Amino acid sequence: MNQKLKSRLLIMTLTVMISLFCGGNLSEVSAKSYHKAVTKIAGKGKYPVYHHISKKGPSAKFTTTKYFKHAQIQSKKSVTTKKGKYWNIIVDGRPVGWVNQKYFARNKISVAKKVSLVQNPYFSFNPEDAINYVTNSAGTAIDTKKVYLSTPTIYSDKPGTTTVTYRYGKAKAQVDVTVRSDKNEGITKANKPLMPGPKEVKTWKGSSISTSRNWNAAHNFTFETRPNTFKSKGLTLKTKMFQPRFVSLDYNKAADRMGQVGIIPEGITVRGSNFTVAVFNSSNDQYGHLVSYNLKHIGKYAAQNLPGLKWSTFKKYAAHIKVSPYIKLGHGQAIGSSSKYIYVIANNKSKNSNESEEIFQIRKSDMKVRQIWSFRIWNGKAPRYIHNATFPNDHTMYCSFHNGRNNCYEYWKVTRNGDTWTSEEVGATKGNFVSNHSPVQGFTYDKRHDQFYLGFNDLIFKLARDGTYLKTHRLHVKREIEGLSVSGNKLYVEFAQRGELTAGKTK
């Protein structure tokens, strides 16, 4: 056998092997396969999705992209055909099919509409925080740290406006960053009387010491099939929804930091049927995703197994689950919502700081950051750095602050007028509530009864708006509360391991 024939046979053998590896026919050899999945950003158009691909083009259309406009989209393979380039998309962790590259948002930089900063000599703004996503010419998400910034840092010590230009390849965007003019904004007095607090309760320190029935190695982390009922002194919580571990491919399968959606749930907000949870890859991350579920269309159990749902059910679920871009969320437990927007305080500091804090306003319609403000709460020169907050509407934020030096909790109302955030203390409670310095893991405001709820581990404390202690609910779940929210007459409580949303009536 001559050398030329040997070479041809070798090429044919490799062609067959590549074809089999890609799961397609011989004409798919131009597919580029990734060991890990890249993140793709959906565009605005509606495109057909196909079962098969060849050099001639796609075939066997079976659905369209209209169901996946706000899903988490990833891909491991692409094919260049006579009809254009096609990508094999994975939606919310489920392999779906082939779609034209024109479907994706290509050469785009999505940024907040504007940024408004409180005047503060101790804070500087990183314009990277304003980025929703950046894509290349193929619609693949790019690490935001690779973007050129015309002004890498905005200092907030003097009033004025700076226009920041963002560039990556052919993509370009701009945002105006304004430092507000009132140098005393956010400076006030903490002067409310300390109301008597509860006797300190002993609890564990650290992560959850138990799990849901099947969220453990003994049960292979299988799905939950029975609801829970948790009771404590007038509060009854019942399972509303068990969440999926991932709304993407799972551990270490993404080739970028934007791809994985899971596994750590943190803060929650519920308004009507819209339930949103902040999700992180690890508990130390400051960036993550918001995942919103329409509870009218999502059942208690089925979302745990998105890849295993029958196709018709999956399409419906994918259309009613929205995933934000990979954005700054802080620790995720300072969150709330109005009818149109989700609000998050994006910080991750463990100690009190005189830096400003950032409020992100995120559209529910497309899960992108619309606007960013910074604010501060200072008692004279003493800062109140906020870790837990809730937003009952577009112009009001309630916050809790643990004043360890004075052994009390303070409650603050921050009101927005235009871009100005004015703070006032509304109440305070003496004591630490728990005996081992466990942090607050949930905070919310009940408008109907004018009261707050604070969560620690599996404990919930109810307090009047002025800080008067009302009641302790010990739920004996031995799983951490990851977030609290009130909507209407319902208190919603999120538990960890597995992520479980429960609900009960407020009183």
Side-chain angles (χ1 to χ4, degrees):
M1 186 181 297
N2 60 41
Q3 188 62 39
K4 186 175 181 179
L5 182 57
K6 285 183 179 179
S7 298
R8 290 181 63 184
L9 287 173
L10 178 60
I11 291 171
M12 290 174 64
T13 301
L14 288 172
T15 297
V16 172
M17 291 175 66
I18 292 171
S19 175
L20 291 172
F21 178 78
C22 294
N25 55 44
L26 296 184
S27 57
E28 286 183 350
V29 295
S30 59
K32 183 178 180 182
S33 298
Y34 299 90
H35 294 291
K36 295 183 179 180
V38 295
T39 301
K40 309 295 289 185
I41 303 297
K44 294 181 179 180
K46 184 176 71 173
Y47 286 80
V49 182
Y50 301 90
H51 278 305
H52 305 301
I53 198 77
S54 71
K55 286 184 178 179
K56 295 180 179 179
S59 60
K61 171 188 169 183
F62 69 100
T63 190
T64 74
T65 58
K66 72 176 183 179
Y67 302 100
F68 317 130
K69 289 190 297 184
H70 307 298
Q72 179 69 353
I73 300 177
Q74 297 169 279
S75 182
K76 293 183 179 181
K77 292 186 280 188
S78 64
V79 175
T80 300
T81 76
K82 291 182 179 179
K83 295 185 178 180
K85 192 169 186 175
Y86 285 77
W87 291 78
N88 189 254
I89 59 172
I90 301 161
V91 177
D92 294 342
R94 177 183 181 132
V96 172
W98 296 92
V99 65
N100 194 293
Q101 182 169 278
K102 292 179 181 179
Y103 166 58
F104 304 115
R106 291 162 291 139
N107 293 316
K108 298 291 184 183
I109 300 177
S110 171
V111 294
K113 185 177 179 181
K114 69 174 183 176
V115 178
S116 177
L117 307 177
V118 64
Q119 195 175 155
N120 181 0
Y122 301 103
F123 175 75
S124 60
F125 176 74
N126 180 358
E128 186 185 332
D129 292 355
I131 300 175
N132 284 300
Y133 61 77
V134 182
T135 63
N136 62 16
S137 59
T140 299
I142 299 300
D143 191 330
T144 56
K145 295 187 182 303
K146 296 180 179 180
V147 176
Y148 164 80
L149 305 177
S150 62
T151 308
T153 302
I154 307 290
Y155 296 98
S156 61
D157 54 338
K158 296 178 182 179
T161 298
T162 302
T163 299
V164 180
T165 300
Y166 303 78
R167 285 196 181 93
Y168 180 85
K170 295 181 180 180
K172 178 182 176 180
Q174 290 184 322
V175 64
D176 288 336
V177 181
T178 299
V179 178
R180 303 192 288 274
S181 60
D182 184 359
K183 66 180 181 181
N184 293 316
E185 181 186 332
I187 300 176
T188 185
K189 290 184 179 181
N191 55 10
K192 292 298 179 182
L194 288 177
M195 308 305 289
K199 181 180 178 181
E200 288 187 2
V201 179
K202 188 175 182 180
T203 183
W204 76 87
K205 189 172 184 178
S207 60
S208 300
I209 56 177
S210 186
T211 68
S212 59
R213 294 182 187 92
N214 297 330
W215 183 275
N216 48 65
H219 294 88
N220 296 314
F221 297 95
T222 53
F223 309 124
E224 305 298 337
T225 58
R226 289 185 290 160
N228 288 313
T229 299
F230 306 124
K231 295 183 179 182
S232 175
K233 295 182 180 179
L235 176 64
T236 300
L237 299 173
K238 295 186 177 182
T239 301
K240 193 74 176 175
M241 178 191 168
F242 288 106
Q243 291 133 57
R245 297 181 75 193
F246 298 93
V247 190
S248 67
L249 292 172
D250 58 20
Y251 283 123
N252 302 318
K253 292 183 180 178
D256 54 57
R257 63 186 184 133
M258 296 84 75
Q260 183 176 306
V261 184
I263 185 172
I264 308 294
E266 294 288 354
I268 67 165
T269 179
V270 179
R271 187 166 180 108
S273 63
N274 182 269
F275 160 49
T276 301
V277 57
V279 178
F280 298 84
N281 292 347
S282 80
S283 57
N284 296 320
D285 285 350
Q286 198 171 0
Y287 283 74
H289 300 84
L290 295 174
V291 183
S292 286
Y293 301 88
N294 186 331
L295 296 175
K296 287 184 178 179
H297 299 277
I298 306 293
K300 287 182 182 178
Y301 311 108
Q304 297 175 94
N305 185 24
L306 292 174
L309 297 177
K310 66 179 182 179
W311 175 246
S312 59
T313 304
F314 176 77
K315 279 198 307 182
K316 175 185 173 182
Y317 272 45
H320 291 100
I321 299 173
K322 294 182 179 180
V323 182
S324 79
Y326 185 73
I327 56 175
K328 186 178 180 181
L329 295 174
H331 63 75
Q333 289 183 326
I335 185 172
S337 58
S338 66
S339 58
K340 292 184 178 180
Y341 301 107
I342 301 161
Y343 294 87
V344 177
I345 297 179
N347 72 62
N348 205 28
K349 291 185 177 293
S350 59
K351 296 181 179 179
N352 209 17
S353 169
N354 54 13
E355 293 188 19
S356 305
E357 299 184 73
E358 297 173 18
I359 298 172
F360 282 52
Q361 182 191 63
I362 296 128
R363 292 185 294 263
K364 287 184 175 179
S365 59
D366 61 7
M367 303 297 284
K368 296 174 188 175
V369 178
R370 177 181 181 269
Q371 187 163 348
I372 298 173
W373 298 272
S374 75
F375 77 101
R376 64 178 175 179
I377 301 174
W378 285 9
N379 176 32
K381 293 183 179 180
R384 298 315 196 234
Y385 200 81
I386 301 303
H387 295 277
N388 302 92
T390 187
F391 297 77
N393 57 54
D394 291 308
H395 297 90
T396 307
M397 171 174 65
Y398 285 104
C399 315
S400 69
F401 172 74
H402 183 215
N403 190 329
R405 176 174 296 180
N406 294 329
N407 189 38
C408 70
Y409 277 87
E410 300 171 358
Y411 315 105
W412 293 82
K413 180 181 180 181
V414 188
T415 305
R416 179 169 70 89
N417 183 6
D419 290 326
T420 299
W421 293 83
T422 304
S423 56
E424 63 171 324
E425 189 186 25
V426 296
T429 309
K430 187 176 182 179
N432 291 316
F433 294 29
V434 294
S435 60
N436 66 350
H437 305 291
S438 288
V440 176
Q441 292 174 288
F443 173 75
T444 193
Y445 173 66
D446 175 7
K447 180 180 178 181
R448 292 192 177 193
H449 300 95
D450 200 24
Q451 61 192 13
F452 298 120
Y453 292 93
L454 270 75
F456 303 76
N457 289 343
D458 59 358
L459 293 155
I460 298 175
F461 295 87
K462 184 164 67 173
L463 308 121
R465 189 172 178 269
D466 67 356
T468 299
Y469 166 70
L470 299 175
K471 187 172 285 188
T472 299
H473 298 292
R474 186 155 199 167
L475 296 160
H476 299 285
V477 182
K478 297 182 180 180
R479 292 158 58 195
E480 288 180 292
I481 291 170
E482 295 292 1
L484 301 175
S485 184
V486 169
S487 180
N489 67 343
K490 295 286 183 66
L491 171 66
Y492 292 87
V493 182
E494 171 83 349
F495 290 101
Q497 297 184 354
R498 148 182 317 261
E500 178 183 3
L501 181 68
T502 63
K505 289 185 177 180
T506 58
K507 292 183 181 180

Coordinates of all heavy atoms in Angstrom, one line a residue, residues 457-500:
N457 N -30.3 30.7 61.1 CA -30.4 29.3 61.0 C -31.8 28.8 60.8 O -32.4 29.2 59.8 CB -29.7 28.7 62.3 CG -28.2 28.8 62.3 OD1 -27.6 29.1 61.2 ND2 -27.6 28.7 63.4
D458 N -32.4 28.1 61.7 CA -33.8 27.7 61.6 C -34.7 28.5 62.5 O -35.8 28.0 62.9 CB -34.1 26.2 61.7 CG -33.6 25.6 63.0 OD1 -33.1 26.4 63.9 OD2 -33.8 24.4 63.2
L459 N -34.3 29.7 62.9 CA -35.1 30.5 63.9 C -35.6 31.8 63.1 O -34.9 32.3 62.3 CB -34.2 31.0 65.0 CG -33.7 30.0 66.0 CD1 -32.4 30.4 66.6 CD2 -34.7 29.7 67.1
I460 N -36.8 32.2 63.5 CA -37.4 33.4 62.9 C -37.9 34.2 64.1 O -38.7 33.8 64.9 CB -38.6 33.1 61.9 CG1 -38.1 32.3 60.7 CG2 -39.2 34.4 61.5 CD1 -39.2 31.9 59.8
F461 N -37.5 35.5 64.1 CA -37.9 36.4 65.2 C -38.8 37.5 64.5 O -38.5 38.0 63.5 CB -36.7 37.1 65.8 CG -35.8 36.2 66.6 CD1 -34.8 35.6 65.9 CD2 -36.0 36.0 67.9 CE1 -33.9 34.7 66.6 CE2 -35.2 35.1 68.6 CZ -34.1 34.5 68.0
K462 N -40.0 37.7 65.2 CA -40.9 38.7 64.7 C -40.9 39.9 65.6 O -40.9 39.8 66.8 CB -42.3 38.1 64.7 CG -43.4 39.0 64.1 CD -44.7 38.3 63.7 CE -45.4 37.8 65.0 NZ -46.7 37.2 64.6
L463 N -40.8 41.1 64.9 CA -40.7 42.4 65.7 C -41.5 43.4 65.1 O -41.7 43.5 63.9 CB -39.2 42.8 65.6 CG -38.2 41.8 66.0 CD1 -37.2 41.6 64.9 CD2 -37.5 42.2 67.3
A464 N -42.1 44.3 65.9 CA -42.8 45.4 65.5 C -41.8 46.4 64.8 O -40.6 46.3 65.0 CB -43.5 46.1 66.6
R465 N -42.4 47.3 64.0 CA -41.5 48.2 63.2 C -40.6 49.1 64.1 O -39.5 49.5 63.7 CB -42.4 49.1 62.4 CG -41.7 50.0 61.4 CD -42.7 50.7 60.5 NE -42.2 51.6 59.5 CZ -42.0 52.9 59.7 NH1 -42.3 53.4 60.9 NH2 -41.5 53.7 58.8
D466 N -41.1 49.4 65.4 CA -40.2 50.2 66.3 C -39.2 49.3 67.0 O -38.5 49.9 67.9 CB -41.1 51.0 67.2 CG -41.9 50.1 68.2 OD1 -41.8 48.8 68.1 OD2 -42.6 50.6 69.1
G467 N -39.2 48.0 66.8 CA -38.2 47.2 67.4 C -38.8 46.4 68.5 O -38.1 45.5 69.1
T468 N -40.1 46.5 68.9 CA -40.7 45.8 69.9 C -40.7 44.3 69.6 O -41.2 43.9 68.5 CB -42.1 46.2 70.2 OG1 -42.1 47.6 70.6 CG2 -42.8 45.4 71.3
Y469 N -40.1 43.5 70.5 CA -40.0 42.0 70.3 C -41.5 41.4 70.4 O -42.2 41.7 71.3 CB -39.1 41.4 71.3 CG -39.2 39.9 71.3 CD1 -38.8 39.1 70.3 CD2 -39.8 39.3 72.5 CE1 -39.0 37.7 70.3 CE2 -40.0 37.9 72.5 CZ -39.5 37.1 71.5 OH -39.7 35.7 71.5
L470 N -41.8 40.6 69.4 CA -43.2 40.0 69.4 C -43.1 38.5 69.7 O -43.9 38.0 70.5 CB -43.9 40.3 68.1 CG -44.1 41.8 67.8 CD1 -44.7 42.0 66.4 CD2 -45.0 42.4 68.9
K471 N -42.3 37.8 68.9 CA -42.4 36.3 69.0 C -41.1 35.7 68.4 O -40.5 36.2 67.5 CB -43.6 35.8 68.3 CG -43.9 34.3 68.5 CD -45.2 33.9 67.9 CE -46.4 34.4 68.8 NZ -47.7 33.8 68.4
T472 N -40.8 34.5 68.9 CA -39.7 33.6 68.3 C -40.4 32.4 67.8 O -41.1 31.7 68.4 CB -38.7 33.2 69.4 OG1 -38.1 34.4 69.9 CG2 -37.6 32.3 68.7
H473 N -40.0 32.1 66.5 CA -40.5 30.8 65.9 C -39.2 29.9 65.7 O -38.4 30.2 64.9 CB -41.1 31.1 64.5 CG -42.3 31.9 64.6 ND1 -43.5 31.5 65.1 CD2 -42.6 33.2 64.1 CE1 -44.4 32.4 65.0 NE2 -43.9 33.5 64.4
R474 N -39.2 28.8 66.5 CA -38.1 27.9 66.3 C -38.7 26.7 65.5 O -39.6 26.0 66.0 CB -37.5 27.4 67.6 CG -36.3 26.5 67.4 CD -35.4 26.5 68.7 NE -34.0 26.1 68.3 CZ -33.0 26.2 69.1 NH1 -33.1 26.8 70.2 NH2 -31.8 25.8 68.7
L475 N -38.1 26.4 64.3 CA -38.8 25.5 63.4 C -38.2 24.1 63.5 O -38.7 23.1 62.9 CB -38.6 26.0 62.0 CG -39.4 27.3 61.8 CD1 -38.9 28.1 60.6 CD2 -40.9 27.0 61.7
H476 N -37.0 23.9 64.2 CA -36.4 22.6 64.4 C -36.2 21.8 63.0 O -36.4 20.6 63.0 CB -37.3 21.7 65.3 CG -37.5 22.3 66.7 ND1 -36.5 22.3 67.6 CD2 -38.5 23.0 67.2 CE1 -36.9 22.9 68.7 NE2 -38.1 23.3 68.5
V477 N -35.8 22.6 62.0 CA -35.6 22.0 60.7 C -34.1 21.6 60.6 O -33.8 20.7 59.8 CB -35.9 23.0 59.6 CG1 -35.7 22.4 58.2 CG2 -37.4 23.4 59.7
K478 N -33.2 22.3 61.3 CA -31.8 22.0 61.3 C -31.2 22.3 59.9 O -30.1 21.8 59.6 CB -31.4 20.6 61.8 CG -31.8 20.3 63.2 CD -31.4 19.0 63.7 CE -31.9 18.7 65.1 NZ -31.5 17.4 65.6
R479 N -31.9 23.1 59.1 CA -31.4 23.6 57.8 C -31.4 25.1 57.9 O -32.4 25.7 58.4 CB -32.3 23.0 56.7 CG -32.2 21.5 56.5 CD -33.4 21.0 55.8 NE -33.6 21.6 54.5 CZ -34.8 21.5 53.8 NH1 -35.8 20.9 54.3 NH2 -34.9 22.1 52.6
E480 N -30.4 25.7 57.3 CA -30.3 27.1 57.3 C -31.5 27.8 56.5 O -31.8 27.4 55.4 CB -29.0 27.6 56.7 CG -27.8 27.3 57.5 CD -26.5 27.8 56.8 OE1 -26.2 27.2 55.8 OE2 -26.0 28.8 57.3
I481 N -32.0 28.8 57.1 CA -32.9 29.8 56.3 C -31.9 30.6 55.4 O -31.0 31.1 55.9 CB -33.7 30.7 57.3 CG1 -34.7 29.9 58.0 CG2 -34.3 31.8 56.5 CD1 -35.4 30.6 59.2
E482 N -32.2 30.6 54.1 CA -31.4 31.4 53.2 C -32.1 32.7 52.8 O -31.5 33.5 52.1 CB -31.1 30.6 52.0 CG -30.2 29.4 52.3 CD -28.8 29.7 52.7 OE1 -28.5 30.9 52.8 OE2 -28.0 28.8 52.9
G483 N -33.3 32.9 53.1 CA -34.0 34.1 52.7 C -35.4 34.1 53.2 O -36.1 33.1 53.4
L484 N -36.0 35.4 53.5 CA -37.3 35.6 53.9 C -38.0 36.6 52.9 O -37.3 37.5 52.5 CB -37.4 36.1 55.3 CG -36.8 35.3 56.4 CD1 -36.9 36.0 57.7 CD2 -37.6 33.9 56.6
S485 N -39.3 36.5 52.7 CA -40.0 37.5 51.9 C -41.4 37.5 52.2 O -42.0 36.4 52.6 CB -39.8 37.2 50.4 OG -40.4 38.2 49.6
V486 N -42.1 38.6 52.2 CA -43.5 38.7 52.4 C -44.2 39.2 51.2 O -43.7 40.2 50.6 CB -43.8 39.6 53.6 CG1 -45.3 39.9 53.7 CG2 -43.4 39.0 54.9
S487 N -45.2 38.6 50.7 CA -46.1 39.0 49.6 C -47.5 38.8 50.0 O -47.9 37.7 50.3 CB -45.8 38.2 48.3 OG -46.6 38.7 47.3
G488 N -48.3 39.9 50.1 CA -49.7 39.8 50.5 C -49.7 39.4 52.0 O -49.1 40.0 52.8
N489 N -50.5 38.3 52.2 CA -50.6 37.8 53.6 C -49.7 36.6 53.8 O -50.0 35.8 54.8 CB -52.0 37.5 53.9 CG -52.6 36.3 53.1 OD1 -52.0 35.9 52.1 ND2 -53.7 35.8 53.6
K490 N -48.7 36.4 53.0 CA -47.9 35.2 53.1 C -46.4 35.5 53.4 O -45.9 36.4 52.9 CB -47.9 34.4 51.7 CG -49.2 33.8 51.3 CD -49.6 32.6 52.2 CE -50.9 32.0 51.7 NZ -50.8 31.4 50.4
L491 N -45.9 34.7 54.4 CA -44.5 34.8 54.7 C -43.8 33.6 53.9 O -44.2 32.5 54.1 CB -44.2 34.6 56.2 CG -42.7 34.5 56.6 CD1 -41.9 35.7 56.3 CD2 -42.6 34.1 58.1
Y492 N -42.8 33.9 53.1 CA -42.1 32.9 52.3 C -40.7 32.7 53.0 O -40.0 33.7 53.3 CB -41.9 33.3 50.9 CG -43.2 33.3 50.1 CD1 -44.0 34.5 50.1 CD2 -43.7 32.2 49.4 CE1 -45.3 34.5 49.4 CE2 -44.9 32.2 48.7 CZ -45.7 33.3 48.7 OH -46.9 33.4 48.1
V493 N -40.3 31.4 53.1 CA -39.1 31.1 53.8 C -38.3 30.1 52.9 O -38.9 29.1 52.5 CB -39.3 30.5 55.2 CG1 -38.0 30.2 55.9 CG2 -40.1 31.4 56.1
E494 N -37.1 30.4 52.6 CA -36.3 29.5 51.8 C -35.3 28.8 52.7 O -34.6 29.4 53.5 CB -35.5 30.4 50.7 CG -34.4 29.6 50.0 CD -34.9 28.9 48.8 OE1 -36.1 28.7 48.6 OE2 -34.1 28.4 48.0
F495 N -35.3 27.4 52.5 CA -34.3 26.6 53.3 C -33.3 26.0 52.3 O -33.6 25.8 51.1 CB -35.1 25.4 54.0 CG -36.0 25.9 55.1 CD1 -37.3 26.0 54.9 CD2 -35.4 26.2 56.3 CE1 -38.1 26.4 56.0 CE2 -36.2 26.6 57.4 CZ -37.6 26.7 57.2
A496 N -32.1 25.8 52.9 CA -31.0 25.2 52.1 C -31.1 23.7 52.1 O -31.8 23.1 52.9 CB -29.7 25.7 52.7
Q497 N -30.3 23.1 51.2 CA -30.0 21.6 51.1 C -31.3 20.7 51.2 O -31.5 20.1 52.3 CB -29.0 21.3 52.2 CG -27.7 21.9 52.1 CD -26.7 21.5 53.2 OE1 -27.1 20.8 54.1 NE2 -25.5 21.9 53.1
R498 N -32.0 20.5 50.2 CA -32.1 21.2 48.9 C -32.9 22.5 49.0 O -33.7 22.7 49.9 CB -32.8 20.2 48.0 CG -33.7 20.7 46.9 CD -34.4 19.7 46.0 NE -33.6 18.6 45.6 CZ -33.1 18.4 44.4 NH1 -33.2 19.4 43.5 NH2 -32.4 17.4 44.1
G499 N -32.6 23.4 48.0 CA -33.3 24.6 48.0 C -34.8 24.4 48.0 O -35.4 23.8 47.1
E500 N -35.5 24.9 49.1 CA -37.0 24.6 49.2 C -37.7 25.9 49.6 O -37.4 26.5 50.7 CB -37.2 23.5 50.3 CG -38.6 23.2 50.6 CD -38.8 22.2 51.7 OE1 -37.8 21.8 52.3 OE2 -40.0 21.8 52.0

